[in-house]
Structure formats: structure tokens, C-alpha cells
């Protein structure tokens, strides 16, 4: 099938590469010329395991191409995927300017039937806006061309994006007619072999499903962080509590890890956007507001512990920081807790020596030549002459470090663990002062 994908970011690129891999003829369109130039050279602008190989193979097989030519994109695909960003606007709403710009392009250039498939995360009612935009341009052009709009939200996880796309837990198709249902079913057949994962529903429910999923996951995290803060003050250990509650199958072990807050390009913006949608219709979504507030507070917790340990004297101190990305296996630093920590440390005159297995270029891009940020070549390099270690992202490489070496490098053997990676007893035995999240008997 012929497919056009607007937006070559995490979602667009993975969608394009995976759809090409199963035999489709895919053209990816982006307005960012540098990004397209990079992709045409077979280089991948983001870190995503397995993606580079998939992209190169499919470029070479002639099934995957990239362009900035919007008209060519509209001419190419029966399916016109929208996979552009929907960043938060100042008021917390989802900014739809990129989605509607694509709709405008489709309306301007289409000459025959098109199925517009919205993969971006968009508020309920966006499909109607997209439809209206395209129709109003067709009306201005004075022509009648049929088109359909489908909501097909994406659930891939950065770091496991290809696996998630190839073997999805669900494929949500929000549509208002059987014609598009059948065409989308056919498109997704290769990803639906082992059992039926396709859920067909009305468009509004499909749009809301994506927000509901992210809001639920964010709620689980904020719930555990709330409990962790309580455990800490009550002299209990949240890790024991986690194991205790996870054993109940109605609760389960997934996604109940306490930490230093959720980040990334999705949870923060989607929780906010859903809250905004609620306010717009006059509904007070108290739970969503609390999830957001708790998370914002949690992103300050590591700094507070560091500040308290050093009794407010952080000026001139150097903190080694392990992990910049918002989670492991990605270089994405959007809304990452590492940023809150570094910025708070800089504000009080401390400096940071950081290492991340994938996000060093991203940190360089964001913080340019900040003199208070030294980007180091290894976890060990980040420790040299540092006053303390803070662990912010749970990359595997940080899970079982050589504690003797850490102790020898730090001027003060203290670890602030934002992901509860280590055994408090072991660290105490090794002579560390160890602060974790919600482990009341070991941390302040
Ligand atoms: N990143 C994720 O893990 C993830 C997962 C599921 C859903 N989503 C959703 O998918 C959408 C895309 O997210 P992303 O992380 O891939 O975004 P991204 O910022 O990585 O990429 C978006 C791309 O769209 C391009 N673009 C903007 N306007 C354009 C236009 N008019 N025509 C063509 N290209 C245009 C940008 O240049 C950019 O390359 C968002 O709505 C997001 O919420 C993201």
C-alpha cells in the first residue's frame, strides 16, 4: 500500500520504517530540512534501539523514502498519516498548529480520495477539526473530493518502539465508517497475526483512549511517589510496600516504581492537556491535577535531599549525575527530572559532572556550553573529585557499579538514588551515606 507519513520524529519514523518493513511503499515528509538530509544519508537523528538498521534496510530496498516536498507527500499515499508533535501550549492545552498545518497541506494538494490517519496524540474533537480544515480548503478550491479521517493513536514506548509497533498490545481504530475500518484492518494485518489486537471504536473514544492510557500510567507513578513520601516520613520502606501491594493481581507489579518523577514528551503534556480539556467543558478533574502536582513536587525531591545533606551549602560543590534521559534506552530529555535537578543545583552555585549512555548530544544541544555542566565520557569519569553521586535514570549500566571505585573517587561517600537501584544495607556496609526514595529507615 502507498503510505505518506507527515512528521519524522519518534512516532513518524518508527511508523514509517515498520510499515515499510512489512512491504508497504512509504514516503516520510518533514518540514525540518536538516532532519530529512540526515535521514537521507541513513543517519538517525534520535537514539532508538534497532531503528537505524530498519531505516537503512528499507531505504535500500526502495520501500522507504524521505522528502520535504509536501505536495509530493500528498500525491503519494492513499493513507496520509499525521505524526507531528502536539506540544503543550502555555495554558496546558495541546497545541494543534502542526496537526492543522498538515490538514491544510492535504486539503491544498489532494486530487483524489485520501484516508487521513491521525497518529498524533490529540484532544477529543480534533478529527472533526481536521475534517473541517480539509473540507473548507476543498470548498475554497471549488472541488469535491472524498476523504475520511481516522483516529489511530500510537502507544509505542521510546526505547522499545520497534518491538511495540511490530507486536502491539492494541491497535485502536477510531472511525465512523466501515470502508476505512476495512482498509485499516488490511494495513495492520501483518501486525495482527498472533491474535486480534484491533479495537474498532468511534473517533472520540479512540482519541480519549490515548489520554486515558497515559493518565492512568502517570497516576500509578504519582500514587507510588505519594506513598513513597509517606513511607519516608513514617519509617517504612516503599520497596517492601511495593512488593506487598504488587502481589495483588488487581494491582500488579507493573509501573508501580517510586522515583524522582516522570518526564518525557508524553505523560506531562498529556495529563495537562486532558486536565485542560476537562476545564473547557466545565469539569473539575481533581485527580489529574493531583497527579501533575505530585509529579512536579517529586522532581524536586532529589535536590531537597542533596541540599539538606549539605546543610544548604552547595555553592562550589560538584555533583556527579548518572542519567540525563527521562528514562533508559532513549536520548529524550524532554521534561526529564535530570533537568530539574541540574537547574536547581546551578541556581545555588553547584556544578554537575554528568554521564548518560545515550543523551550526551542532547544535553549538549540543550545546555550548549554551560560552564557548570561537564559532560563526561564514562560513569567513572563523572565521579572524579565529585562531592556526591546522584542517580537519576535507571540505565542498566548503573545497576551494579563498583562501589569501592565510587567511594575512592568521591570526596564524600554519599549517593542520592532517585530510582532505588541499590540495596541500602549493602551501601551502609560499604561505608556510604545512602539516600533513596521512600525508604524511611535509611534516608532522611
Ligand atoms: N514520543 C513518543 O513516545 C510518543 C508515543 C506515542 C504518541 N506520541 C505522540 O505522537 C506525536 C508525535 O510525537 P513525536 O515524539 O514523534 O514528536 P517529535 O517532536 O519527535 O516529531 C515531530 C516531527 O514533526 C515534524 N513536523 C512538524 N510540523 C510538520 C508539518 N507540518 N509537516 C511535516 N512534519 C512536521 C517536526 O519537524 C518533527 O520532526 C505527538 O502527538 C506525541 O504526543 C509520542
Amino acid at each position: 500500500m502507498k503510505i505518506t507519513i507527515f512528521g519524522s520524529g519518534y512516532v513518524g519514523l518508527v511508523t514509517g520504517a515498520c510499515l515499510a518493513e512489512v512491504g508497504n511503499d512509504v514516503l516520510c515528509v518533514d518540514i525540518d530540512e536538516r532532519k530529512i538530509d540526515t535521514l537521507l544519508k541513513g543517519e538517525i537523528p534520535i537514539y532508538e534501539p534497532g531503528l537505524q538498521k530498519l531505516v537503512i534496510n528499507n531505504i535500500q530496498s526502495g520501500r522507504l523514502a524521505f522528502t520535504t516536498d509536501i505536495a509530493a507527500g500528498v500525491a503519494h499515499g492513499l493513507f496520509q498519516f499525521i505524526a507531528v508533535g502536539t506540544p503543550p501550549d502555555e495554558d496546558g492545552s495541546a497545541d494543534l498548529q502542526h496537526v492543522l498545518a498538515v490538514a491544510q497541506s492535504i486539503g491544498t494538494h489532494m486530487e483524489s480520495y485520501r484516508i487521513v490517519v491521525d497518529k498524533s496524540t490529540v484532544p477529543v474533537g480534533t478529527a472533526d477539526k481536521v475534517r473541517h480544515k480539509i473540507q473548507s480548503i476543498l470548498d475554497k478550491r471549488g472541488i469535491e473530493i472524498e476523504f475520511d479521517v481516522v483516529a489511530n493513536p500510537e502507544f509505542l514506548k521510546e526505547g522499545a518502539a520497534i518491538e511495540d509497533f511490530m507486536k502491539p498490545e492494541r491497535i485502536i481504530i477510531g472511525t465512523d465508517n466501515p470502508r476505512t475500518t476495512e482498509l485499516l484492518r488490511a494495513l495492520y494485518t501483518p501486525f495482527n497475526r498472533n491474535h486480534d489486537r484491533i479495537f474498532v471504536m468511534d473517533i472520540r473514544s479512540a482519541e480519549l483512549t490515548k489520554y486515558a492510557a497515559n493518565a492512568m500510567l502517570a497516576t500509578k507513578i504519582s500514587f507510588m511517589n505519594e506513598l513513597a513520601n509517606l513511607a519516608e516520613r513514617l519509617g517504612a520502606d516503599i520497596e517492601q510496600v511495593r512488593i506487598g501491594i504488587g502481589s495483588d493481581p488487581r494491582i500488579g507489579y507493573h509501573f508501580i516504581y517510586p522515583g524522582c518523577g516522570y518526564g518525557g514528551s508524553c505523560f506531562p503534556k498529556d495529563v495537562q492537556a486532558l486536565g485542560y480539556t476537562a476545564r473547557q467543558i466545565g469539569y473539575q478533574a481533581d485527580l489529574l491535577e493531583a497527579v501533575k502536582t505530585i509529579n512536579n513536587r517529586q522532581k524536586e525531591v532529589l535536590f531537597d535531599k542533596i541540599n539538606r545533606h549539605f546543610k544548604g551549602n552547595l555553592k562550589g560543590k560538584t555533583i556527579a549525575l548518572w542519567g540525563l534521559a527521562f528514562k533508559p534506552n532513549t536520548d529524550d530529555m524532554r521534561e526529564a527530572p535530570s533537568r530539574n535537578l541540574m537547574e536547581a543545583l546551578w541556581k545555588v552555585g553547584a556544578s554537575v559532572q554528568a554521564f548518560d549512555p545515550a543523551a550526551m548530544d542532547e544535553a549538549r544541544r540543550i545546555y550548549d556550553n554551560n560552564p557548570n555542566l561537564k559532560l563526561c565520557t564514562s560513569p567513572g569519569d563523572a565521579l572524579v573529585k565529585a562531592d556526591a553521586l546522584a542517580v537519576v535514570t535507571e540505565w542498566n549500566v548503573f545497576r551494579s557499579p563498583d562501589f569501592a571505585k565510587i567511594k575512592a573517587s568521591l570526596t564524600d561517600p554519599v549517593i542520592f538514588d532517585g530510582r532505588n537501584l541499590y540495596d541500602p544495607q549493602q551501601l551502609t556496609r560499604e561505608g556510604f551515606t545512602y539516600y533513596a526514595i521512600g525508604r524511611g529507615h535509611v534516608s532522611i
Side-chain angles (χ1 to χ4, degrees), residues 37-262:
D37 283 347
T38 307
L39 287 163
L40 285 171
K41 282 187 244 152
E43 291 165 22
I44 306 296
I46 51 174
Y47 174 89
E48 183 60 49
L51 187 56
Q52 181 156 30
K53 191 162 167 264
L54 201 64
V55 168
I56 291 174
N57 286 351
N58 282 286
I59 292 176
Q60 282 169 356
S61 70
R63 291 190 300 264
L64 180 63
F66 296 95
T67 185
T68 53
D69 184 343
I70 287 169
V74 180
H76 177 82
L78 166 65
F79 295 95
Q80 302 274 309
F81 276 80
I82 304 180
V84 297
T86 46
D89 224 332
E90 273 162 25
D91 55 11
S93 64
D95 180 353
L96 291 179
Q97 61 164 311
H98 303 300
V99 170
L100 294 176
V102 176
Q104 169 131 16
S105 301
I106 295 170
T108 305
H109 298 290
M110 69 189 267
E111 296 295 345
S112 55
Y113 174 64
R114 290 287 177 266
I115 304 169
V116 180
V117 184
D118 188 8
K119 255 208 174 310
S120 296
T121 302
V122 291
V124 174
T126 301
D128 292 339
K129 288 186 182 162
V130 167
R131 193 193 311 270
H132 183 260
K133 184 89 186 170
I134 296 173
Q135 190 56 55
S136 68
I137 293 166
L138 291 177
D139 291 347
K140 266 192 217 143
R141 288 172 65 195
I143 51 172
E144 254 182 60
I145 306 173
E146 267 195 88
F147 67 96
D148 286 307
V149 180
V150 179
N152 173 221
E154 181 50 55
F155 295 90
L156 62 78
K157 300 184 284 298
E158 287 176 22
I162 293 168
E163 174 83 3
D164 285 348
F165 197 95
M166 290 295 196
K167 293 181 194 152
E169 282 146 0
R170 74 215 112 163
I171 298 164
I172 303 278
I173 299 174
T175 172
D176 51 11
N177 71 52
R179 169 173 59 182
T180 45
T181 309
E182 285 323 303
L183 285 165
L184 273 138
R185 264 192 189 284
L187 180 71
Y188 278 116
T189 296
F191 311 99
N192 194 38
R193 302 202 81 84
N194 158 293
H195 62 273
D196 193 10
R197 301 158 161 113
I198 294 179
F199 304 111
V200 179
M201 55 182 78
D202 67 276
I203 292 174
R204 284 179 172 248
S205 301
E207 289 171 331
L208 186 56
T209 298
K210 174 65 195 179
Y211 281 100
N214 277 356
M216 169 63 99
L217 294 171
T219 301
K220 288 181 94 170
I221 297 174
S222 278
F223 174 82
M224 284 310 285
N225 285 334
E226 182 97 296
L227 263 288
N229 294 335
L230 273 176
E232 200 160 299
R233 285 158 181 79
L234 293 168
D237 179 356
I238 192 66
E239 290 302 325
Q240 303 298 324
V241 176
R242 178 178 66 75
I243 292 163
I245 61 170
S247 59
D248 181 336
R250 293 170 306 173
I251 297 174
Y253 286 112
H254 290 296
F255 239 76
I256 55 168
Y257 292 94
C260 49
Y262 60 74

